[in-house]
Amino acid sequence: MNAEQAWQAALGQLQMDMPKAAFDTWVRDAELVSYEDGVFTIGVKNAYARDWLADRLALTVQRILASILDRTIEVRFIVWQQPLENNPPIEQGPVAQASGTNGSSGNHNRLNQRYTFSNFVVGPSNRLAHAACMAVAESPAQAYNPLFLYGGVGLGKTHLLHAIGNHCTQQGLTVLYVSSEEFTNDLINAIRRHTTQAFREKYRRIDVLLIDDIQFIAGKESTQEEFFHTFNTLHGQDKQIVMTSDRPPKAMVTLEERLRSRFEWGLTADIQPPDFETRLAILRYKAERAGYQLPDGTLELIARQVNSNIRELEGALTRVVAFANLRGMPAAPNLAEIALADLLPRRTKVEPEQIIQAVADSFGITVERMLSRERSRRVAVPRQIAMYLLREEANLSLPQIGEMLGGRDHTTVMYGCDKVADLMERDSRMRRQVLNLREQLYGEARLAI
C-alpha cells in the first residue's frame, strides 16, 4: 500500500468515526502533499483548518495511519493550495460536496477543478439533471435560465455545479460560485462596512452565477431582498443562474413568493438516489481511479447494501479496502460483510405478517383486500410489492408467498417479484416506496427524499 492509498484509507476511517458536519468542514478537502520517511504532510486550505486539525485530530490521524502501515507515523498539517495545472485522480463525482473557502472571487479559486462532466457517473436517477447542466454549460443563458437542481445530500448537485463553472471558465466567461451562506455573509459585511456598491458589482458583473444550497436564504428577509434584485439584474442581462437545493422551490415555505416563482422560470431538475447499476458503476470508477483491486462480488455487495447516498457508498468502499489491508487479506465479499457490519442497519427478523400489514398500511388498503381476487391497479401494485418483500426480506419460497397472499400460483408470484425488481431499477417512485417500506420494517427512520 502506497502513501496515497493509506491516506485515502485513513480518510475513510475518519468519515465513519466523525460527525458528518465536522468531517465535511475540516477533513474532506485535506490532501496528501508528500510522504517521506514516515512523515505525512497534509495540505489544507487555510490556517484556521490547519490549527484545528493539529490541535484536535493529529493524534487520531497518526494512530490510524500507523495501524494501516504498521509503523511509527508523524503527521504535519500545512496551508497549501494545489497548483491548477496539477489535476490528480478524481473522486467520483456525486461523492463530495465542494465549496470555495477563501475570500477571493476569481474563477479558479472559487471552483474545484477536479469536478468535471467527464468524471460524473450518469444513471437514470441523475440523467435529466446531467443533460440540463451540459446544455447550460454549452450555451449559458440560452438553454435553461435559471436552472434549479434539487436532491438529497451526497447525490452530486455540487459536482454538477462546479462542472458547469469549470466548463464556462474554459470558454472565457466570468464565473462566480458561492454558497447561500457566503452570499448572506458578504451582504452582512457589505452593510456593516458601507460597501454595498462593491458587493453588487461582485455579484452582478459576471456571466454565470452558481449558488449552492439556496434553501438557506429562506426566512432571511434582507438576503432575499438583495438576491431578488441580483437575480433580476443578471436574468435581465441574459446571464446564467444555476442554483442547488435539498428541496424543490414549492417546498420552501418561508421563501418569498416572488423568488419562488422566479426559481421556477427555467428548468427544475431533481436528482434521486442512484439505482443498483449506477451505484455499481460508481464503485468501479472509484476503485479504478484509486488503484483498488476488488472482485466484482465485493463491489456488488457494497452496491446492494449501501443505497441511500453516494457519499456513504464511497465511505463504505474505502472502509472495506482499509479493513482488507489491515488484515493482509483479499477484499472478498465475506470480508466486506465483516468490515461493514457496524455501518449497515441492524436487521432483525421480520415476520411475513408484518410485511403484508406494512404494505397495506402504506397504500391505504386493507389486508383482506390485498389477499382478495381483486385485480385493479390500486390493489395489484401493493400486492406485487408485498411479493417482492416477502421474497427478499422474509426469504420465503414462491409457493409460500403465494399461499400467504390468498393462495396464488407460484408463477404469479414470480412474475410479481420480477416486475417490482425491474421497476425499482427504472422507476424512482417505485424505488422510494420499497426503500421506505424496508426502513419501516427494520425500525429505521424513513429515508429523506
Side-chain angles (χ1 to χ4, degrees), residues 113-401:
Q113 303 297 306
R114 300 183 304 172
Y115 293 156
T116 64
F117 290 115
S118 64
N119 57 22
F120 186 89
V121 178
V122 182
S125 58
N126 58 27
R127 197 178 306 280
L128 172 62
H130 176 266
C133 290
M134 287 281 289
V136 163
E138 292 291 342
S139 303
Q142 302 300 315
Y144 311 109
N145 195 23
L147 174 60
F148 191 98
L149 305 176
Y150 71 93
V153 297
L155 297 182
K157 302 185 300 295
T158 300
H159 184 122
L160 288 173
L161 209 58
H162 283 263
I164 292 172
N166 286 322
H167 189 91
C168 292
T169 298
Q170 292 171 4
Q171 297 177 342
L173 300 176
T174 303
V175 178
L176 177 60
Y177 164 81
V178 293
S179 67
S180 63
E181 182 182 12
E182 289 175 272
F183 182 89
T184 300
N185 290 339
D186 282 353
L187 175 60
I188 292 171
N189 290 332
I191 294 172
R192 182 184 302 151
R193 298 168 184 167
H194 306 289
T195 57
T196 52
Q197 186 58 37
F199 168 86
R200 287 167 182 161
E201 289 182 0
K202 171 183 176 180
Y203 281 94
R204 299 181 189 182
R205 292 189 176 181
I206 54 177
D207 298 308
V208 180
L209 176 61
L210 309 173
I211 299 276
D212 213 353
D213 293 324
I214 192 65
Q215 73 271 10
F216 290 123
I217 74 167
K220 300 175 181 175
E221 293 182 6
S222 297
T223 302
Q224 290 187 67
E225 177 73 22
E226 188 60 43
F227 189 74
F228 172 77
H229 294 299
T230 298
F231 183 103
N232 285 345
T233 299
L234 291 174
H235 198 274
Q237 295 174 352
D238 286 333
K239 307 300 184 182
Q240 180 67 52
I241 304 166
V242 186
M243 298 166 284
T244 71
S245 172
D246 64 355
R247 68 202 74 169
K250 286 188 184 336
M252 298 182 192
V253 294
T254 57
L255 186 70
E256 293 180 6
E257 181 59 35
R258 59 180 180 171
L259 275 177
R260 184 182 294 112
S261 66
R262 280 163 174 76
F263 289 175
E264 296 174 334
W265 273 357
L267 176 67
T268 300
D270 70 330
I271 304 178
Q272 295 292 338
D275 59 16
F276 172 75
E277 282 77 11
T278 306
R279 296 195 300 272
L280 188 58
I282 290 167
L283 287 170
R284 284 176 173 156
Y285 177 86
K286 167 66 179 172
E288 179 183 345
R289 295 305 297 263
Y292 300 152
Q293 299 294 324
L294 278 78
D296 287 344
T298 299
L299 296 176
E300 290 175 6
L301 182 141
I302 298 172
R304 290 190 185 281
Q305 298 285 17
V306 183
N307 53 32
S308 54
N309 71 63
I310 310 304
R311 189 175 294 130
E312 291 182 5
L313 193 69
E314 181 191 50
L317 173 64
T318 307
R319 183 173 180 123
V320 168
V321 172
F323 193 83
N325 288 329
L326 284 171
R327 282 160 175 72
M329 300 169 62
N334 59 339
L335 189 74
E337 287 185 352
I338 298 172
L340 300 177
D342 59 335
L343 303 181
L344 302 176
R346 299 177 182 271
R347 296 198 168 187
T348 55
K349 183 178 180 181
V350 177
E351 296 298 330
E353 292 79 5
Q354 288 179 266
I355 294 175
I356 295 172
Q357 188 65 58
V359 174
D361 292 344
S362 177
F363 283 87
I365 62 175
T366 64
V367 171
E368 291 74 17
R369 192 176 173 191
M370 195 159 68
L371 301 185
S372 71
R373 291 295 171 183
E374 183 176 342
R375 300 178 66 179
S376 67
R377 177 175 175 79
R378 176 169 170 76
V379 175
V381 170
R383 184 187 295 135
Q384 289 171 339
I385 291 176
M387 292 174 180
Y388 175 83
L389 290 173
L390 287 168
R391 180 71 166 168
E392 294 293 320
E393 308 301 327
N395 294 317
L396 296 186
S397 67
L398 298 177
Q400 287 175 317
I401 296 171

Side-chain angles (χ1 to χ4, degrees), residues 85-130:
E85 64 272 12
N86 180 17
N87 204 6
I90 300 165
E91 302 297 325
Q92 195 288 123
V95 170
Q97 298 288 341
S99 63
T101 55
N102 64 37
S104 171
S105 63
N107 285 347
H108 293 296
N109 53 20
R110 301 303 297 168
L111 294 169
N112 191 322
Q113 303 297 306
R114 300 183 304 172
Y115 293 156
T116 64
F117 290 115
S118 64
N119 57 22
F120 186 89
V121 178
V122 182
S125 58
N126 58 27
R127 197 178 306 280
L128 172 62
H130 176 266

Side-chain angles (χ1 to χ4, degrees), residues 35-40 71-74:
Y35 171 74
E36 185 176 354
D37 195 24
V39 179
F40 278 78
R71 62 163 295 174
T72 302
I73 294 296
E74 181 181 348

